Amino acid sequence: MTKGNLKSILYRIVKYIGIVLVVILALLFITPYVFSDKIKEEIKKTANKKLNAELNYSDANISFFHHFPSLTLTLNDLKLNGSAPFEKENFVTAKEVSFGINISSLIFGKTVSIDQIYLSDSFINVKVNKNGEANYNVYKSSSVEAEKATDSSDTSLKLEKIEILNSKIIYDDKSTNVHLDVFGFNYSGKGDLSKDIFDLYSKAKIEKLNILYENEPYLMNKKVDADLITKVNVNSLSFFFEQNNLKINQLIVDFKGKFDFLKDGYNIDFVIKSNNSQLHDVFTAFPPKFITWLSKTDLKGNTNLLLTLKGKYIASQNIAPDLNLDLKINDGYVNYNKSSFPISNLNLDINTKLPSLNPDLLIVDGKNLALNINKDYLKSKFYVKGVDTPDLNIDLSSQIDLEKLTQAFGIPDIELKGNLIGDIKAKGIFDLKNKLFPVTSGTINFKNGYLKTKYYPNPITDITIVSEIKNQKGTFDDLKVKLSPAQITFEGKPFYIDADLYNFDDLTYDVKAKGELDISKIYRVFSQKGLDLDGSIKADLVLKGKQSDAEKGNYSKLHNKGTLEIKNIGIVSEYLPKKFIIKEGIFKINQDKMFFKNFLSTYGQSDFKMNGYLQNVINFATTKTGVLKGSFVINSRYINADEFMSTTTTQTNSTTATSSTNSETPKTEVVQTGVIIIPKNFNLQFQANAQKVNFNKLALNNAKGNLKMNKGILTMQNTGFNLIGCEVTMDATYQALTMKKALFDYTIKATDFDVKKAYNEIEIFRKMASAAEKAQGTVSLDYKLKGRLNANMEPVYPSLVGEGVVSVKDIKLYGMKMFNAVSKTTSHEGIKNPEISKVDIKSSIKNNIITLERFKFKFAGFRPRIEGTTSLDGKLNIKMRLGLPPLGILGVPLIITGNKDNPKIKIGRKSDDLEETQDTED
């Protein structure tokens, strides 16, 4: 072959290769445009058929060059809403979503096959409400037969690759109170995703991971690297994690398990292990507040961690999985900020079980907790089963300098000194109701104690506790506790307690207390938030006796004496919505009585000055069955009784995830009122005098009476007060059945009651006697009434039962619609504005009906006779005989029906009875 022929052949090869490349390049540009409409149409068709949610995007383009060499359909500014009930909220938003298209299916097939998905700069916002309803159920499920029938015409989704770049995921589950933030998420997944069951090989990196539970951070700002092999079952929507190596900051974790999506929840089987890890690496995965501590701490030791979570989680059925956690630390070493006394030989072996995530079933088995600081040591084993009535097994032995311990651990914001020497063993059940106490033997001694925090400038010093606890039978009656002594010094004032207590079933006590405590300042030692009050207690007490002697009245066997002086102390009770404040007072204790001398106190707007005594105080304070007895004389300038009504506060809040934080909307408080609660373990008597009392919009003046509280019932005898210038006497009983319901029963007498004032100033009178709007004059009242009160302390009308007499002394009725209607019907103008005097009107109340017995009166020559019924909501069924002048021998029978605002008058004697409304509650 000549040299010229060789050049010619090479030229032709290059020429044809160039032509082919040009053709290929041309095809790469032209093909997307040729098949553009077909692809876009198939995508829309598939979205409508397969998605159960709204899909929107700004533009779509097709290119070989976006993810070369794949032909990709790219949707710009994609927005996919969630499934019900989140149809109006975004589930997925992305700057770009690209679908890789199988070329052979595009050219030769009837279907368009999508085998790759690319997401960039996306935001996946997963939400689950309190009922377990999620927004990710956007894919329409269909039967196998239906899928086969549509296979020949639908676009098929046969994925081989998923790639997510620079994206963000937020998972907010209100049913479990779990919240996750994932930022800087990069993911690459490969596998034969066209199969119903396939293996997905994945690599993931997370720049920042936050995990919160019940708004408390557990992992914050953590980096994660993961190599994952996951078996996916598309039909059942389940995931089996076969091999998953995670790295959270520096902690390497092996993660295996299974996760199934159920219709209304999840089925979970997770196993998370970290074997032979370094203690330092474990702490790098802890919440952020530990990171600063870790940077200054020399931390060594080996750890083994095993966490399992197994079972179904269905919020609507209160079904939850079982949680187990095993943690071991061997040969640990901790030294914060180069302390001279590091912690060595730190060993921990603890197993925690939480069946069904139920705290009442909690089991904590601390097989070993031990450490050394030079020759000091702490050794402990403990086992706890249950919360309400825990089964305990504790073995503690320590001889340790707390100053060295706090320095070695770097415990912030506290300066603690003193030697803690303890040796105690306890085994058994603590059950307050059945009076069971673990078998216990041991001592706990704390000497040369010192405590100072950043919240208060001065320390608590000279802390000494010498204690001994014994119980050989496991019952309350065998429990012995001895404090000899316990003392502190604060602000230069010492306080001492010596106590010898035994037989807690019938408490026998010998207590000596002397000194002064500033309560609010001591509280501020431990917290930034101080009490609203600067309260103090000064004691000089000797208490010696037996609980049963106090109960039986064997006061000669008691030896209780001394004084207790208190100032500005706030008392909070479950029965009262506000704080009861004792401004000043001196207790003098003698045997079983605690005498009050010139006690000045306030409650809200109310003020009290008390003198008297309490009895059986120790029995009341130490048992749930003890009855507090007492007798007092109380004087007050003003009492606002409405402030004693109980309240119930409920809070609602919703957590909304944002791009950088988990923000919580302000809590909304709903305050509901309740009736006044009288404690059932009170037996108290009061002789009360109050210049002014406000109760349920009634203004009472110069109130006096004898009050008694016993077994939850309030009794008032010989109670008198002035109401709108009228002297009123009343006897009454009151009992709260629940926080929303109470019963009352009272007898009331009122003389020369001004009707006009009553209507203007008493709301309940306006409601029950609305016809008296334009009446003038005086009446007297002698009535008995009982019934039920609602949560607002208002009477429930159908429950009212009563009877009595209203004596009319001199009254003028102007503009009453009933008499106007009678006047119009009978054509007698003189009936419009009757004047009545010296008439006794007897009536009774039951089932929402007031029954008027027959009564007569005279005015303007007429002699009316009235009887009948009227309901408390204003309906009328009144029978009237209108005796005509001059002597009333001739009369017109009238029937008055309708209601107080629109009475209807007709001549006759027959009418239908008013419908009764019976009280439906017992």
Side-chain angles (χ1 to χ4, degrees):
M1 184 181 292
T2 64
K3 194 172 184 179
N5 290 334
L6 180 61
K7 286 184 178 179
S8 176
I9 292 171
L10 289 176
Y11 174 77
R12 290 176 185 176
I13 292 172
V14 172
K15 177 180 178 182
Y16 292 137
I17 290 174
I19 293 171
V20 171
L21 290 176
V22 170
V23 171
I24 292 173
L25 188 61
L27 288 173
L28 290 178
F29 280 101
I30 295 171
T31 301
Y33 294 100
V34 172
F35 295 100
S36 174
D37 292 339
K38 179 180 178 181
I39 294 172
K40 292 179 181 178
E41 185 64 30
E42 291 291 346
I43 290 295
K44 289 183 178 180
K45 186 177 178 181
T46 301
N48 290 331
K49 286 191 175 184
K50 297 294 185 181
L51 294 180
N52 193 24
E54 182 182 350
L55 175 68
N56 292 300
Y57 50 88
S58 63
D59 189 21
N61 55 75
I62 301 170
S63 173
F64 275 104
F65 301 100
H66 205 69
H67 291 279
F68 188 82
S70 298
L71 174 63
T72 56
L73 167 69
T74 300
L75 304 180
N76 298 316
D77 301 322
L78 178 137
K79 293 182 180 179
L80 174 63
N81 286 2
S83 57
F86 301 95
E87 306 96 325
K88 303 297 182 181
E89 301 179 33
N90 289 336
F91 167 43
V92 178
T93 59
K95 183 179 179 181
E96 288 184 352
V97 177
S98 298
F99 301 93
I101 299 168
N102 186 288
I103 299 296
S104 63
S105 71
L106 181 64
I107 298 174
F108 304 107
K110 295 182 179 180
T111 65
V112 178
S113 177
I114 296 173
D115 56 13
Q116 298 177 9
I117 291 182
Y118 304 89
L119 276 79
S120 61
D121 299 306
S122 64
F123 174 29
I124 303 171
N125 187 20
V126 181
K127 290 187 175 183
V128 182
N129 64 20
K130 290 184 177 180
N131 298 323
E133 298 170 319
N135 69 339
Y136 50 71
N137 296 316
V138 296
Y139 190 77
K140 289 182 180 179
S141 60
S142 59
S143 64
V144 176
E145 290 77 7
E147 289 177 1
K148 290 180 179 179
T150 57
D151 243 358
S152 61
S153 59
D154 284 352
T155 301
S156 61
L157 193 64
K158 298 179 180 180
L159 298 179
E160 295 178 359
K161 183 177 181 181
I162 299 176
E163 190 173 282
I164 301 175
L165 300 175
N166 191 31
S167 295
K168 174 176 63 178
I169 301 173
I170 289 182
Y171 177 88
D172 189 23
D173 190 339
K174 294 283 194 283
S175 67
T176 60
N177 287 322
V178 173
H179 182 92
L180 276 76
D181 296 323
V182 179
F183 301 107
F185 179 56
N186 293 277
Y187 173 86
S188 176
K190 294 181 180 180
D192 190 356
L193 280 71
S194 64
K195 295 181 179 179
D196 292 337
I197 301 175
F198 60 89
D199 289 332
L200 179 64
Y201 297 85
S202 308
K203 288 188 177 183
K205 284 190 177 182
I206 298 173
E207 292 298 321
K208 186 189 297 184
L209 171 66
N210 301 331
I211 299 179
L212 299 93
Y213 178 67
E214 292 187 342
N215 290 329
E216 287 294 325
Y218 284 81
L219 294 179
M220 297 296 289
N221 302 327
K222 302 304 176 187
K223 289 186 176 181
V224 178
D225 288 334
D227 281 328
L228 314 172
I229 299 177
T230 307
K231 187 178 288 295
V232 181
N233 188 327
V234 177
N235 293 330
S236 62
L237 198 56
S238 66
F239 301 87
F240 184 74
F241 304 98
E242 293 180 325
Q243 177 182 332
N244 298 276
N245 298 316
L246 302 178
K247 187 177 181 182
I248 305 174
N249 281 10
Q250 298 178 30
L251 177 64
I252 297 175
V253 176
D254 180 44
F255 172 45
K256 294 181 180 179
K258 185 179 180 182
F259 189 89
D260 297 331
F261 283 92
L262 306 177
K263 181 179 179 182
D264 49 1
Y266 318 106
N267 188 20
I268 304 169
D269 187 357
F270 289 163
V271 178
I272 300 173
K273 291 193 299 184
S274 179
N275 292 331
N276 296 320
S277 299
Q278 294 299 308
L279 185 59
H280 180 275
D281 295 343
V282 173
F283 270 81
T284 64
F286 273 41
K289 60 184 178 182
F290 289 97
I291 301 302
T292 303
W293 174 85
L294 186 61
S295 65
K296 298 182 180 180
T297 305
D298 187 6
L299 201 60
K300 301 175 184 177
N302 296 320
T303 67
N304 290 281
L305 171 70
L306 173 63
L307 182 133
T308 65
L309 184 65
K310 184 174 183 179
K312 293 181 179 180
Y313 185 89
I314 304 175
S316 60
Q317 300 178 31
N318 293 322
I319 297 175
D322 299 332
L323 174 68
N324 292 327
L325 173 63
D326 290 337
L327 177 62
K328 293 181 181 179
I329 300 175
N330 296 319
D331 300 323
Y333 176 91
V334 183
N335 190 357
Y336 177 79
N337 206 20
K338 299 181 180 179
S339 168
S340 302
F341 304 99
I343 293 171
S344 61
N345 299 323
L346 173 62
N347 290 279
L348 175 67
D349 187 353
I350 187 170
N351 172 254
T352 302
K353 296 181 179 180
L354 190 59
S356 300
L357 297 181
N358 185 349
D360 294 332
L361 303 177
L362 174 68
I363 296 176
V364 180
D365 187 2
K367 299 176 183 178
N368 184 25
L369 171 59
L371 58 85
N372 290 100
I373 302 179
N374 288 348
K375 295 181 180 181
D376 288 355
Y377 65 89
L378 173 66
K379 297 179 180 179
S380 176
K381 295 180 181 180
F382 54 91
Y383 177 89
V384 181
K385 181 180 180 180
V387 176
D388 292 336
T389 57
D391 187 357
L392 306 172
N393 190 354
I394 299 172
D395 188 348
L396 171 68
S397 178
S398 71
Q399 181 174 326
I400 200 158
D401 187 325
L402 294 182
E403 182 179 14
K404 296 177 182 177
L405 184 69
T406 56
Q407 288 179 0
F409 272 124
I411 300 175
D413 305 328
I414 188 170
E415 188 177 349
L416 184 62
K417 301 177 183 178
N419 295 312
L420 178 64
I421 303 171
D423 187 1
I424 191 165
K425 295 181 180 180
K427 185 177 182 180
I429 296 175
F430 177 79
D431 187 343
L432 189 62
K433 181 179 180 181
N434 295 306
K435 298 183 178 180
L436 299 176
F437 195 90
V439 174
T440 306
S441 176
T443 59
I444 297 177
N445 298 329
F446 184 41
K447 296 181 179 180
N448 302 319
Y450 176 100
L451 174 64
K452 184 177 182 297
T453 69
K454 69 176 184 178
Y455 308 118
Y456 192 76
N458 298 325
I460 300 174
T461 63
D462 301 325
I463 305 172
T464 300
I465 299 174
V466 178
S467 67
E468 183 179 1
I469 304 173
K470 289 184 179 180
N471 189 325
Q472 295 179 343
K473 297 180 180 178
T475 57
F476 268 37
D477 60 2
D478 194 51
L479 177 60
K480 302 178 180 67
V481 178
K482 188 172 184 179
L483 289 171
S484 181
Q487 68 180 58
I488 65 170
T489 298
F490 183 62
E491 296 284 13
K493 298 176 181 179
F495 192 89
Y496 305 90
I497 294 179
D498 275 10
D500 194 356
L501 311 172
Y502 59 92
N503 187 5
F504 280 65
D505 198 14
D506 179 15
L507 182 62
T508 302
Y509 55 90
D510 186 354
V511 180
K512 300 180 182 66
K514 188 173 184 179
E516 185 173 351
L517 292 176
D518 194 319
I519 301 299
S520 65
K521 290 181 179 179
I522 287 180
Y523 181 81
R524 286 200 293 270
V525 170
F526 300 96
S527 172
Q528 289 178 304
K529 297 180 180 179
L531 291 172
D532 297 331
L533 311 168
D534 293 327
S536 63
I537 298 176
K538 187 176 182 180
D540 188 359
L541 297 173
V542 175
L543 307 174
K544 187 175 183 180
K546 186 184 292 187
Q547 182 178 318
S548 60
D549 288 332
E551 290 181 23
K552 297 175 182 178
N554 298 326
Y555 304 131
S556 61
K557 296 183 178 181
L558 304 178
H559 302 281
N560 301 325
K561 61 181 180 179
T563 59
L564 187 68
E565 184 176 347
I566 60 179
K567 291 183 180 180
N568 297 326
I569 297 295
I571 300 174
V572 179
S573 168
E574 60 180 310
Y575 302 109
L576 301 174
K578 293 182 178 292
K579 188 178 291 185
F580 193 90
I581 301 170
I582 302 175
K583 298 179 71 174
E584 63 178 80
I586 298 176
F587 292 109
K588 288 193 174 181
I589 298 171
N590 186 18
Q591 301 300 69
D592 192 47
K593 288 186 178 180
M594 181 182 288
F595 292 92
F596 288 63
K597 184 178 180 181
N598 292 330
F599 250 72
L600 302 179
S601 57
T602 61
Y603 178 83
Q605 299 175 347
S606 307
D607 64 87
F608 305 93
K609 182 179 181 181
M610 295 189 295
N611 285 278
Y613 69 88
L614 287 176
Q615 193 172 358
N616 201 34
V617 177
I618 294 177
N619 184 37
F620 172 78
T622 56
T623 69
K624 290 186 176 182
T625 58
V627 177
L628 185 65
K629 303 175 182 179
S631 179
F632 292 92
V633 175
I634 300 178
N635 293 288
S636 174
R637 292 189 299 269
Y638 176 66
I639 298 175
N640 186 354
D642 293 340
E643 293 182 322
F644 288 84
M645 293 172 63
S646 60
T647 59
T648 303
T649 303
T650 58
Q651 292 185 339
T652 60
N653 68 289
S654 58
T655 305
T656 305
T658 63
S659 59
S660 58
T661 60
N662 179 44
S663 62
E664 184 176 309
T665 58
K667 293 181 178 179
T668 302
E669 291 191 351
V670 180
V671 179
Q672 301 172 337
T673 59
V675 299
I676 297 172
I677 305 293
I678 309 298
K680 292 186 177 181
N681 53 351
F682 279 11
N683 186 0
L684 304 174
Q685 297 184 23
F686 301 90
Q687 181 182 336
N689 303 283
Q691 296 177 20
K692 187 176 181 181
V693 178
N694 180 70
F695 173 65
N696 203 18
K697 301 182 181 179
L698 293 177
L700 313 179
N701 297 308
N702 300 322
K704 298 180 180 179
N706 296 313
L707 286 76
K708 185 177 181 179
M709 297 180 185
N710 190 20
K711 296 180 180 179
I713 299 175
L714 172 66
T715 304
M716 293 186 289
Q717 295 178 332
N718 300 321
T719 303
F721 53 85
N722 185 286
L723 178 64
I724 59 169
C726 172
E727 295 299 325
V728 180
T729 60
M730 183 173 67
D731 292 340
T733 60
Y734 168 89
Q735 180 182 14
L737 301 180
T738 68
M739 293 186 70
K740 300 292 183 182
K741 180 168 59 177
L743 301 179
F744 71 93
D745 186 346
Y746 71 81
T747 300
I748 186 169
K749 293 183 180 180
T751 305
D752 295 337
F753 197 70
D754 190 308
V755 175
K756 186 67 174 177
K757 280 188 176 181
Y759 188 89
N760 291 335
E761 299 181 23
I762 303 175
E763 182 180 14
I764 192 171
F765 185 81
R766 287 197 297 273
K767 291 181 178 179
M768 298 186 66
S770 57
E773 180 179 4
K774 296 182 180 179
Q776 295 182 5
T778 57
V779 298
S780 296
L781 179 68
D782 187 351
Y783 221 89
K784 295 181 179 180
L785 191 67
K786 65 180 180 179
R788 182 164 50 87
L789 301 174
N790 63 18
N792 295 319
M793 294 292 288
E794 297 170 340
V796 179
Y797 289 150
S799 73
L800 299 179
V801 177
E803 61 180 359
V805 178
V806 177
S807 299
V808 177
K809 182 177 181 180
D810 185 14
I811 193 167
K812 299 177 181 179
L813 302 175
Y814 293 113
M816 281 190 67
K817 293 182 180 181
M818 186 181 78
F819 285 102
N820 286 343
V822 172
S823 173
K824 184 176 180 180
T825 301
T826 59
S827 301
H828 288 285
E829 285 291 323
I831 301 175
K832 277 188 176 182
N833 301 311
E835 297 183 8
I836 306 171
S837 60
K838 296 181 180 180
V839 176
D840 291 338
I841 304 173
K842 296 180 180 180
S843 66
S844 61
I845 300 175
K846 189 176 182 180
N847 295 337
N848 207 43
I849 300 295
I850 302 175
T851 301
L852 302 174
E853 295 185 16
R854 181 179 293 183
F855 65 94
K856 303 176 183 179
F857 58 95
K858 296 185 294 183
F859 74 95
F862 293 96
R863 297 174 181 265
R865 186 183 72 199
I866 297 176
E867 60 186 309
T869 57
T870 177
S871 67
L872 291 174
D873 56 2
K875 296 177 182 178
L876 304 173
N877 184 20
I878 304 294
K879 297 178 181 179
M880 175 187 290
R881 181 187 181 279
L882 184 61
L884 302 175
L887 301 176
I889 297 174
L890 299 176
V892 179
L894 301 172
I895 297 296
I896 305 170
T897 59
N899 56 59
K900 61 183 179 61
D901 296 320
N902 185 24
K904 298 177 181 179
I905 312 297
K906 66 179 181 178
I907 297 174
R909 291 185 173 86
K910 293 184 179 182
S911 64
D912 295 330
D913 293 338
L914 293 179
E915 183 178 355
E916 296 183 356
T917 304
Q918 295 186 352
D919 189 19
T920 57
E921 295 196 36
D922 293 335

